[in-house]
Amino acid sequence: MKKISIIGIDLAKNLFQLHGAYEDGSVAFRKRITRKKLLPFLERQPACLVAVEACGGSHHWAREIRQLGHRVHILPPAYVKPFRKRHKNDMADAEAISEAASRPTMRVVAVKTEDQQARAMLFRVRDLLVRQRTQTINALRGLLAEYGLVAPKERANVKTLEAILADREDPRVPGLAWEMADMLMNQIPEFDARIAALDSQAQAAAREDETIRRLRTIPGVGPITGLAFLAFAPDMEDFKCGRDFAAWLGLVPEQRSSAGKERLGKLSKMGQRDLRRLLVTGAMSVIQRKSRWGKEPDPWLQRLLDRKPTIKAAIALANKMARTMWALLMKGEDYRRGLNTQAAGIQAAGA
């Protein structure tokens, strides 16, 4: 009797499409099932590989299905797409997931714990509030510019507009416009308070976690970056070297090589974009210490700045920071400036 080896599931909110496959790849069943009946159905199946596509709720279902005794693989959508035949529908998606999971070299997404997802939620909520605050400030600046009231960019310069709106009798702002602008202005302190509260939680989490403490010894890495690392980065043992981790983050050039000729393009930007963005932002802060406060940069960074544009130097430094993060966690050490950084820096600049 044939044995079911893989079950591919196209996840949704209420209706799930399942595709079962035998060991030889032939179809065992195609079944549509409701949310409530999914786990009872899988509980009746023999232990096998259950594959789902990475999406909202995929980590929750992976944890639940694991408890039933199945192995679970979460597949990146980009790796599933080539296995879909012709038209796109739930049945074709489930079959493509099953086909992709059968490949022995297929890369999978690590299943996150509830604690990791809680850290990710803290980061996401903070990021959302920061973007909403920026939107509010930009809207306020744009609306008041219609009346000739212009303030420089950056959040610190909002005080210029705040001083104008403090005068209710200012003839430059009509009554209705003043009310709308005042409504937006009052929202900014609320965003500041909420973001500050989340920053305090992130600081507290950073003090309690040894991994974040070790990562913060790297220049340019703060508590928010450390929190994002714990929330989004996979196990460092999944990477053979620091360059593999930097490549996973998308901090290496995109390859378009062919016929033995190496052709490198722009930054690949593959992998986890939030962590990549934070590393580049942290690298820019390290560079700005020299330009704004006159602090002496690392000799490797100074040589890079002398011959490269600032943004390219920041990306190279972010690449180096990613490699350093991998090295610190694999060796269980703290960052020590100047120790074995020259070789890693040259490789990062070349990447």
Side-chain angles (χ1 to χ4, degrees), residues 137 141 149-161:
I137 293 173
R141 292 177 64 251
L149 304 175
V150 180
K153 293 182 179 180
E154 297 187 4
R155 182 168 56 92
N157 296 315
V158 177
K159 293 182 179 179
T160 303
L161 299 178

Side-chain angles (χ1 to χ4, degrees), residues 308-347:
K308 294 288 186 180
T310 302
I311 185 60
K312 287 189 176 181
I315 293 172
L317 179 57
N319 182 297
K320 181 180 177 182
M321 290 164 61
R323 296 167 183 249
T324 305
M325 294 168 80
W326 178 87
L328 294 188
L329 296 183
M330 292 300 294
K331 296 180 180 180
E333 299 177 356
D334 290 349
Y335 177 80
R336 287 173 287 174
R337 179 177 175 178
L339 182 63
N340 297 329
T341 57
Q342 184 174 4
I346 293 174
Q347 291 177 353

Side-chain angles (χ1 to χ4, degrees), residues 1 25 63 70-71 87 91 103 133 146-147 150 159-160 164-165 172 185 210-211 215 221 237 247 266 284 336-337 346:
M1 183 178 178
R63 292 192 297 266
H70 298 290
R71 293 184 298 121
H87 303 291
M91 188 180 298
R103 303 298 96 186
R133 181 179 65 183
E146 296 293 337
Y147 298 97
V150 180
K159 293 182 179 179
T160 303
I164 295 173
L165 293 176
R172 293 176 294 177
M185 183 63 73
E210 176 63 20
T211 299
L215 293 177
V221 177
E237 293 184 355
K266 297 181 180 180
M284 285 296 296
R336 287 173 287 174
R337 179 177 175 178
I346 293 174

Side-chain angles (χ1 to χ4, degrees), residues 256-275:
R256 298 183 179 273
S257 304
S258 179
K261 295 182 179 179
E262 187 177 84
R263 296 184 179 90
L264 301 180
K266 297 181 180 180
L267 204 65
S268 70
K269 294 186 179 180
M270 298 179 181
Q272 220 295 320
R273 61 181 181 181
D274 296 300
L275 190 52

